[in-house]
mmCIF file of all heavy atoms in Angstrom:
data_model
loop_
_atom_site.group_PDB
_atom_site.id
_atom_site.type_symbol
_atom_site.label_atom_id
_atom_site.label_comp_id
_atom_site.label_asym_id
_atom_site.label_seq_id
_atom_site.Cartn_x
_atom_site.Cartn_y
_atom_site.Cartn_z
ATOM 1 N N ILE A 37 76.264 -35.111 -122.828
ATOM 2 C CA ILE A 37 75.070 -34.474 -122.272
ATOM 3 C C ILE A 37 75.156 -34.467 -120.754
ATOM 4 O O ILE A 37 75.278 -35.512 -120.115
ATOM 5 C CB ILE A 37 73.799 -35.184 -122.762
ATOM 6 C CG1 ILE A 37 73.737 -35.122 -124.299
ATOM 7 C CG2 ILE A 37 72.550 -34.551 -122.149
ATOM 8 C CD1 ILE A 37 72.581 -35.846 -124.927
ATOM 9 N N GLN A 38 75.104 -33.275 -120.186
ATOM 10 C CA GLN A 38 75.248 -33.107 -118.747
ATOM 11 C C GLN A 38 73.896 -33.083 -118.060
ATOM 12 O O GLN A 38 72.988 -32.355 -118.466
ATOM 13 C CB GLN A 38 75.989 -31.796 -118.434
ATOM 14 C CG GLN A 38 76.112 -31.520 -116.932
ATOM 15 C CD GLN A 38 77.065 -30.382 -116.635
ATOM 16 O OE1 GLN A 38 77.741 -29.875 -117.523
ATOM 17 N NE2 GLN A 38 77.128 -29.976 -115.378
ATOM 18 N N LEU A 39 73.758 -33.898 -117.029
ATOM 19 C CA LEU A 39 72.588 -33.791 -116.170
ATOM 20 C C LEU A 39 72.819 -32.616 -115.228
ATOM 21 O O LEU A 39 73.849 -32.556 -114.552
ATOM 22 C CB LEU A 39 72.382 -35.075 -115.360
ATOM 23 C CG LEU A 39 72.094 -36.358 -116.145
ATOM 24 C CD1 LEU A 39 71.803 -37.506 -115.188
ATOM 25 C CD2 LEU A 39 70.923 -36.174 -117.109
ATOM 26 N N LYS A 64 64.462 -33.182 -113.201
ATOM 27 C CA LYS A 64 64.944 -34.366 -112.497
ATOM 28 C C LYS A 64 65.853 -35.214 -113.399
ATOM 29 O O LYS A 64 65.867 -35.048 -114.617
ATOM 30 C CB LYS A 64 63.762 -35.234 -112.034
ATOM 31 C CG LYS A 64 62.734 -34.507 -111.182
ATOM 32 C CD LYS A 64 63.306 -34.141 -109.824
ATOM 33 C CE LYS A 64 62.223 -33.563 -108.924
ATOM 34 N NZ LYS A 64 62.807 -32.948 -107.719
ATOM 35 N N THR A 65 66.555 -36.149 -112.776
ATOM 36 C CA THR A 65 67.387 -37.096 -113.531
ATOM 37 C C THR A 65 66.562 -37.823 -114.591
ATOM 38 O O THR A 65 67.018 -38.017 -115.720
ATOM 39 C CB THR A 65 68.038 -38.114 -112.572
ATOM 40 O OG1 THR A 65 68.936 -37.419 -111.700
ATOM 41 C CG2 THR A 65 68.812 -39.177 -113.335
ATOM 42 N N ALA A 66 65.343 -38.201 -114.229
ATOM 43 C CA ALA A 66 64.463 -38.907 -115.181
ATOM 44 C C ALA A 66 64.192 -38.050 -116.420
ATOM 45 O O ALA A 66 64.098 -38.582 -117.537
ATOM 46 C CB ALA A 66 63.146 -39.280 -114.502
ATOM 47 N N GLY A 68 66.260 -35.787 -117.668
ATOM 48 C CA GLY A 68 67.503 -35.804 -118.437
ATOM 49 C C GLY A 68 67.659 -37.086 -119.231
ATOM 50 O O GLY A 68 68.057 -37.070 -120.400
ATOM 51 N N LEU A 69 67.322 -38.216 -118.613
ATOM 52 C CA LEU A 69 67.422 -39.503 -119.311
ATOM 53 C C LEU A 69 66.384 -39.606 -120.429
ATOM 54 O O LEU A 69 66.654 -40.195 -121.486
ATOM 55 C CB LEU A 69 67.271 -40.657 -118.316
ATOM 56 C CG LEU A 69 68.424 -40.823 -117.317
ATOM 57 C CD1 LEU A 69 68.116 -41.948 -116.335
ATOM 58 C CD2 LEU A 69 69.757 -41.071 -118.009
ATOM 59 N N ILE A 72 67.852 -37.710 -123.312
ATOM 60 C CA ILE A 72 68.877 -38.526 -123.968
ATOM 61 C C ILE A 72 68.229 -39.609 -124.839
ATOM 62 O O ILE A 72 68.659 -39.852 -125.972
ATOM 63 C CB ILE A 72 69.820 -39.150 -122.913
ATOM 64 C CG1 ILE A 72 70.701 -38.060 -122.297
ATOM 65 C CG2 ILE A 72 70.679 -40.264 -123.525
ATOM 66 C CD1 ILE A 72 71.505 -38.509 -121.081
ATOM 67 N N LEU A 86 77.184 -39.470 -121.023
ATOM 68 C CA LEU A 86 76.497 -38.747 -119.949
ATOM 69 C C LEU A 86 77.534 -38.169 -119.006
ATOM 70 O O LEU A 86 78.424 -38.873 -118.543
ATOM 71 C CB LEU A 86 75.555 -39.696 -119.203
ATOM 72 C CG LEU A 86 74.650 -39.094 -118.125
ATOM 73 C CD1 LEU A 86 73.382 -39.942 -117.979
ATOM 74 C CD2 LEU A 86 75.345 -38.994 -116.762
ATOM 75 N N MET A 87 77.430 -36.872 -118.743
ATOM 76 C CA MET A 87 78.337 -36.231 -117.794
ATOM 77 C C MET A 87 77.522 -35.727 -116.609
ATOM 78 O O MET A 87 76.454 -35.137 -116.776
ATOM 79 C CB MET A 87 79.064 -35.060 -118.476
ATOM 80 C CG MET A 87 80.077 -34.359 -117.591
ATOM 81 S SD MET A 87 79.375 -32.850 -116.885
ATOM 82 C CE MET A 87 80.528 -32.534 -115.553
ATOM 83 N N SER A 88 77.999 -36.018 -115.420
ATOM 84 C CA SER A 88 77.348 -35.488 -114.220
ATOM 85 C C SER A 88 78.315 -35.590 -113.042
ATOM 86 O O SER A 88 79.527 -35.713 -113.245
ATOM 87 C CB SER A 88 76.038 -36.228 -113.928
ATOM 88 O OG SER A 88 75.269 -35.473 -113.009
ATOM 89 N N TYR A 89 77.770 -35.555 -111.851
ATOM 90 C CA TYR A 89 78.595 -35.613 -110.639
ATOM 91 C C TYR A 89 78.175 -36.794 -109.774
ATOM 92 O O TYR A 89 77.066 -37.317 -109.893
ATOM 93 C CB TYR A 89 78.506 -34.289 -109.888
ATOM 94 C CG TYR A 89 79.240 -33.194 -110.633
ATOM 95 C CD1 TYR A 89 78.593 -32.418 -111.586
ATOM 96 C CD2 TYR A 89 80.604 -32.988 -110.441
ATOM 97 C CE1 TYR A 89 79.275 -31.443 -112.308
ATOM 98 C CE2 TYR A 89 81.298 -32.026 -111.154
ATOM 99 C CZ TYR A 89 80.628 -31.254 -112.092
ATOM 100 O OH TYR A 89 81.320 -30.311 -112.809
ATOM 101 N N GLY A 90 79.100 -37.207 -108.911
ATOM 102 C CA GLY A 90 78.992 -38.459 -108.181
ATOM 103 C C GLY A 90 77.705 -38.664 -107.413
ATOM 104 O O GLY A 90 77.141 -39.761 -107.424
ATOM 105 N N SER A 91 77.209 -37.633 -106.753
ATOM 106 C CA SER A 91 76.034 -37.825 -105.895
ATOM 107 C C SER A 91 74.788 -38.202 -106.690
ATOM 108 O O SER A 91 73.961 -38.976 -106.215
ATOM 109 C CB SER A 91 75.769 -36.581 -105.042
ATOM 110 O OG SER A 91 75.480 -35.476 -105.856
ATOM 111 N N LEU A 92 74.660 -37.692 -107.914
ATOM 112 C CA LEU A 92 73.498 -38.039 -108.748
ATOM 113 C C LEU A 92 73.537 -39.505 -109.171
ATOM 114 O O LEU A 92 72.504 -40.140 -109.355
ATOM 115 C CB LEU A 92 73.447 -37.158 -110.006
ATOM 116 C CG LEU A 92 72.852 -35.760 -109.888
ATOM 117 C CD1 LEU A 92 72.712 -35.127 -111.264
ATOM 118 C CD2 LEU A 92 71.510 -35.758 -109.186
ATOM 119 N N VAL A 93 74.744 -40.018 -109.324
ATOM 120 C CA VAL A 93 74.923 -41.419 -109.737
ATOM 121 C C VAL A 93 74.829 -42.343 -108.523
ATOM 122 O O VAL A 93 74.255 -43.437 -108.591
ATOM 123 C CB VAL A 93 76.288 -41.600 -110.438
ATOM 124 C CG1 VAL A 93 76.520 -43.047 -110.841
ATOM 125 C CG2 VAL A 93 76.387 -40.690 -111.663
ATOM 126 N N TYR A 94 75.352 -41.875 -107.402
ATOM 127 C CA TYR A 94 75.451 -42.703 -106.200
ATOM 128 C C TYR A 94 74.109 -42.842 -105.485
ATOM 129 O O TYR A 94 73.767 -43.911 -104.987
ATOM 130 C CB TYR A 94 76.484 -42.084 -105.254
ATOM 131 C CG TYR A 94 76.778 -42.909 -104.026
ATOM 132 C CD1 TYR A 94 77.549 -44.067 -104.113
ATOM 133 C CD2 TYR A 94 76.279 -42.537 -102.767
ATOM 134 C CE1 TYR A 94 77.826 -44.830 -102.993
ATOM 135 C CE2 TYR A 94 76.539 -43.292 -101.642
ATOM 136 C CZ TYR A 94 77.309 -44.443 -101.760
ATOM 137 O OH TYR A 94 77.575 -45.203 -100.652
ATOM 138 N N ALA A 95 73.317 -41.754 -105.469
ATOM 139 C CA ALA A 95 72.053 -41.730 -104.695
ATOM 140 C C ALA A 95 71.086 -42.861 -105.072
ATOM 141 O O ALA A 95 70.562 -43.546 -104.190
ATOM 142 C CB ALA A 95 71.380 -40.374 -104.818
ATOM 143 N N PRO A 96 70.838 -43.097 -106.374
ATOM 144 C CA PRO A 96 69.917 -44.192 -106.718
ATOM 145 C C PRO A 96 70.601 -45.556 -106.769
ATOM 146 O O PRO A 96 69.956 -46.563 -107.082
ATOM 147 C CB PRO A 96 69.425 -43.796 -108.119
ATOM 148 C CG PRO A 96 70.562 -43.036 -108.722
ATOM 149 C CD PRO A 96 71.251 -42.333 -107.587
ATOM 150 N N GLY A 97 71.897 -45.592 -106.514
ATOM 151 C CA GLY A 97 72.689 -46.819 -106.641
ATOM 152 C C GLY A 97 73.396 -46.828 -107.978
ATOM 153 O O GLY A 97 72.764 -46.620 -109.020
ATOM 154 N N VAL A 98 74.708 -46.997 -107.956
ATOM 155 C CA VAL A 98 75.512 -46.890 -109.170
ATOM 156 C C VAL A 98 75.070 -47.888 -110.237
ATOM 157 O O VAL A 98 74.892 -47.540 -111.412
ATOM 158 C CB VAL A 98 77.020 -47.064 -108.847
ATOM 159 C CG1 VAL A 98 77.853 -47.087 -110.121
ATOM 160 C CG2 VAL A 98 77.499 -45.946 -107.922
ATOM 161 N N ALA A 99 74.843 -49.144 -109.832
ATOM 162 C CA ALA A 99 74.441 -50.177 -110.799
ATOM 163 C C ALA A 99 73.085 -49.837 -111.419
ATOM 164 O O ALA A 99 72.883 -49.978 -112.632
ATOM 165 C CB ALA A 99 74.396 -51.545 -110.119
ATOM 166 N N ASN A 100 72.173 -49.379 -110.589
ATOM 167 C CA ASN A 100 70.828 -49.010 -111.047
ATOM 168 C C ASN A 100 70.896 -47.825 -112.017
ATOM 169 O O ASN A 100 70.246 -47.829 -113.070
ATOM 170 C CB ASN A 100 69.975 -48.649 -109.811
ATOM 171 C CG ASN A 100 68.554 -48.274 -110.175
ATOM 172 O OD1 ASN A 100 67.957 -48.866 -111.057
ATOM 173 N ND2 ASN A 100 68.011 -47.280 -109.491
ATOM 174 N N PHE A 101 71.711 -46.829 -111.678
ATOM 175 C CA PHE A 101 71.841 -45.651 -112.529
ATOM 176 C C PHE A 101 72.431 -46.041 -113.891
ATOM 177 O O PHE A 101 71.946 -45.604 -114.936
ATOM 178 C CB PHE A 101 72.738 -44.608 -111.858
ATOM 179 C CG PHE A 101 72.812 -43.307 -112.606
ATOM 180 C CD1 PHE A 101 71.982 -42.244 -112.294
ATOM 181 C CD2 PHE A 101 73.714 -43.146 -113.652
ATOM 182 C CE1 PHE A 101 72.033 -41.055 -113.005
ATOM 183 C CE2 PHE A 101 73.772 -41.959 -114.379
ATOM 184 C CZ PHE A 101 72.929 -40.917 -114.043
ATOM 185 N N CYS A 102 73.464 -46.865 -113.867
ATOM 186 C CA CYS A 102 74.117 -47.267 -115.113
ATOM 187 C C CYS A 102 73.171 -48.061 -116.019
ATOM 188 O O CYS A 102 73.188 -47.900 -117.238
ATOM 189 C CB CYS A 102 75.377 -48.088 -114.814
ATOM 190 S SG CYS A 102 76.747 -47.073 -114.218
ATOM 191 N N LYS A 103 72.331 -48.900 -115.409
ATOM 192 C CA LYS A 103 71.355 -49.670 -116.186
ATOM 193 C C LYS A 103 70.394 -48.722 -116.906
ATOM 194 O O LYS A 103 70.115 -48.868 -118.092
ATOM 195 C CB LYS A 103 70.585 -50.607 -115.246
ATOM 196 C CG LYS A 103 69.757 -51.657 -115.965
ATOM 197 C CD LYS A 103 69.102 -52.609 -114.975
ATOM 198 C CE LYS A 103 70.111 -53.512 -114.303
ATOM 199 N NZ LYS A 103 69.485 -54.485 -113.388
ATOM 200 N N LYS A 104 69.906 -47.713 -116.183
ATOM 201 C CA LYS A 104 68.967 -46.748 -116.770
ATOM 202 C C LYS A 104 69.638 -45.905 -117.861
ATOM 203 O O LYS A 104 69.039 -45.645 -118.905
ATOM 204 C CB LYS A 104 68.416 -45.824 -115.673
ATOM 205 C CG LYS A 104 67.413 -46.488 -114.757
ATOM 206 C CD LYS A 104 66.905 -45.505 -113.709
ATOM 207 C CE LYS A 104 65.859 -46.152 -112.809
ATOM 208 N NZ LYS A 104 65.401 -45.226 -111.756
ATOM 209 N N ALA A 105 70.873 -45.504 -117.603
ATOM 210 C CA ALA A 105 71.605 -44.687 -118.582
ATOM 211 C C ALA A 105 71.816 -45.477 -119.877
ATOM 212 O O ALA A 105 71.596 -44.970 -120.982
ATOM 213 C CB ALA A 105 72.945 -44.244 -118.005
ATOM 214 N N SER A 106 72.212 -46.741 -119.739
ATOM 215 C CA SER A 106 72.452 -47.589 -120.901
ATOM 216 C C SER A 106 71.175 -47.781 -121.714
ATOM 217 O O SER A 106 71.187 -47.700 -122.943
ATOM 218 C CB SER A 106 72.994 -48.943 -120.451
ATOM 219 O OG SER A 106 73.195 -49.795 -121.551
ATOM 220 N N ARG A 107 70.065 -48.000 -121.026
ATOM 221 C CA ARG A 107 68.772 -48.159 -121.713
ATOM 222 C C ARG A 107 68.381 -46.893 -122.472
ATOM 223 O O ARG A 107 67.641 -46.968 -123.454
ATOM 224 C CB ARG A 107 67.681 -48.507 -120.693
ATOM 225 C CG ARG A 107 67.729 -49.948 -120.212
ATOM 226 C CD ARG A 107 66.676 -50.184 -119.148
ATOM 227 N NE ARG A 107 66.729 -51.536 -118.603
ATOM 228 C CZ ARG A 107 66.155 -51.901 -117.462
ATOM 229 N NH1 ARG A 107 65.487 -51.014 -116.744
ATOM 230 N NH2 ARG A 107 66.243 -53.141 -117.026
ATOM 231 N N SER A 108 68.858 -45.750 -122.009
ATOM 232 C CA SER A 108 68.532 -44.472 -122.657
ATOM 233 C C SER A 108 69.379 -44.222 -123.903
ATOM 234 O O SER A 108 69.110 -43.290 -124.651
ATOM 235 C CB SER A 108 68.740 -43.321 -121.670
ATOM 236 O OG SER A 108 67.916 -43.469 -120.542
ATOM 237 N N VAL A 110 72.995 -44.232 -123.663
ATOM 238 C CA VAL A 110 74.310 -43.723 -123.254
ATOM 239 C C VAL A 110 75.377 -44.788 -123.500
ATOM 240 O O VAL A 110 75.184 -45.966 -123.207
ATOM 241 C CB VAL A 110 74.284 -43.327 -121.752
ATOM 242 C CG1 VAL A 110 75.685 -42.964 -121.260
ATOM 243 C CG2 VAL A 110 73.312 -42.170 -121.523
ATOM 244 N N GLY A 112 78.817 -43.985 -122.612
ATOM 245 C CA GLY A 112 79.924 -43.752 -121.693
ATOM 246 C C GLY A 112 79.543 -42.752 -120.619
ATOM 247 O O GLY A 112 78.629 -41.939 -120.807
ATOM 248 N N MET A 113 80.257 -42.813 -119.499
ATOM 249 C CA MET A 113 79.979 -41.931 -118.362
ATOM 250 C C MET A 113 81.218 -41.088 -118.044
ATOM 251 O O MET A 113 82.340 -41.612 -117.989
ATOM 252 C CB MET A 113 79.618 -42.762 -117.135
ATOM 253 C CG MET A 113 78.465 -43.709 -117.357
ATOM 254 S SD MET A 113 76.866 -42.923 -117.126
ATOM 255 C CE MET A 113 76.797 -42.855 -115.358
ATOM 256 N N ILE A 114 80.998 -39.791 -117.834
ATOM 257 C CA ILE A 114 82.073 -38.890 -117.415
ATOM 258 C C ILE A 114 81.629 -38.247 -116.100
ATOM 259 O O ILE A 114 80.737 -37.400 -116.071
ATOM 260 C CB ILE A 114 82.336 -37.802 -118.481
ATOM 261 C CG1 ILE A 114 82.730 -38.448 -119.816
ATOM 262 C CG2 ILE A 114 83.433 -36.835 -118.007
ATOM 263 C CD1 ILE A 114 82.759 -37.478 -120.987
ATOM 264 N N ILE A 115 82.231 -38.710 -115.002
ATOM 265 C CA ILE A 115 81.848 -38.249 -113.663
ATOM 266 C C ILE A 115 83.118 -37.683 -113.000
ATOM 267 O O ILE A 115 83.870 -38.420 -112.345
ATOM 268 C CB ILE A 115 81.246 -39.394 -112.813
ATOM 269 C CG1 ILE A 115 80.199 -40.181 -113.615
ATOM 270 C CG2 ILE A 115 80.659 -38.848 -111.511
ATOM 271 C CD1 ILE A 115 78.950 -39.415 -113.984
ATOM 272 N N LEU A 118 84.360 -38.476 -109.263
ATOM 273 C CA LEU A 118 84.582 -39.851 -108.796
ATOM 274 C C LEU A 118 85.983 -40.278 -109.228
ATOM 275 O O LEU A 118 86.224 -40.512 -110.413
ATOM 276 C CB LEU A 118 83.541 -40.806 -109.385
ATOM 277 C CG LEU A 118 82.200 -40.922 -108.661
ATOM 278 C CD1 LEU A 118 81.323 -41.974 -109.345
ATOM 279 C CD2 LEU A 118 82.358 -41.257 -107.189
ATOM 280 N N LEU A 126 81.711 -47.723 -110.443
ATOM 281 C CA LEU A 126 81.242 -47.159 -111.706
ATOM 282 C C LEU A 126 81.823 -47.877 -112.925
ATOM 283 O O LEU A 126 81.096 -48.222 -113.863
ATOM 284 C CB LEU A 126 81.582 -45.662 -111.771
ATOM 285 C CG LEU A 126 81.144 -44.923 -113.030
ATOM 286 C CD1 LEU A 126 79.629 -44.939 -113.164
ATOM 287 C CD2 LEU A 126 81.663 -43.485 -113.027
ATOM 288 N N SER A 129 80.194 -51.283 -113.320
ATOM 289 C CA SER A 129 78.782 -51.173 -113.715
ATOM 290 C C SER A 129 78.643 -50.713 -115.162
ATOM 291 O O SER A 129 77.736 -51.148 -115.873
ATOM 292 C CB SER A 129 78.038 -50.206 -112.782
ATOM 293 O OG SER A 129 77.890 -50.767 -111.505
ATOM 294 N N CYS A 130 79.532 -49.824 -115.578
ATOM 295 C CA CYS A 130 79.527 -49.403 -116.981
ATOM 296 C C CYS A 130 79.772 -50.602 -117.887
ATOM 297 O O CYS A 130 79.052 -50.820 -118.867
ATOM 298 C CB CYS A 130 80.598 -48.335 -117.226
ATOM 299 S SG CYS A 130 80.122 -46.672 -116.677
ATOM 300 N N ASN A 133 76.974 -52.929 -118.430
ATOM 301 C CA ASN A 133 75.860 -52.373 -119.198
ATOM 302 C C ASN A 133 76.277 -51.834 -120.566
ATOM 303 O O ASN A 133 75.588 -51.003 -121.158
ATOM 304 C CB ASN A 133 75.181 -51.270 -118.380
ATOM 305 C CG ASN A 133 74.404 -51.808 -117.195
ATOM 306 O OD1 ASN A 133 73.303 -52.315 -117.354
ATOM 307 N ND2 ASN A 133 74.997 -51.739 -116.011
ATOM 308 N N MET A 135 78.780 -49.958 -121.497
ATOM 309 C CA MET A 135 79.273 -48.573 -121.546
ATOM 310 C C MET A 135 80.736 -48.544 -121.109
ATOM 311 O O MET A 135 81.284 -49.539 -120.660
ATOM 312 C CB MET A 135 78.444 -47.664 -120.627
ATOM 313 C CG MET A 135 76.955 -47.643 -120.932
ATOM 314 S SD MET A 135 76.053 -46.401 -119.935
ATOM 315 C CE MET A 135 76.285 -47.050 -118.269
#
Side-chain angles (χ1 to χ4, degrees):
I37 300 177
Q38 177 169 353
L39 297 185
K64 305 291 187 192
T65 295
L69 292 177
I72 289 170
L86 185 153
M87 182 261 163
S88 196
Y89 289 89
S91 62
L92 278 188
V93 178
Y94 185 74
V98 175
N100 181 39
F101 186 95
C102 286
K103 192 176 290 183
K104 287 181 178 178
S106 178
R107 284 177 183 163
S108 300
V110 173
M113 304 275 283
I114 301 169
I115 313 294
L118 275 183
L126 181 63
S129 290
C130 281
N133 289 282
M135 303 187 296

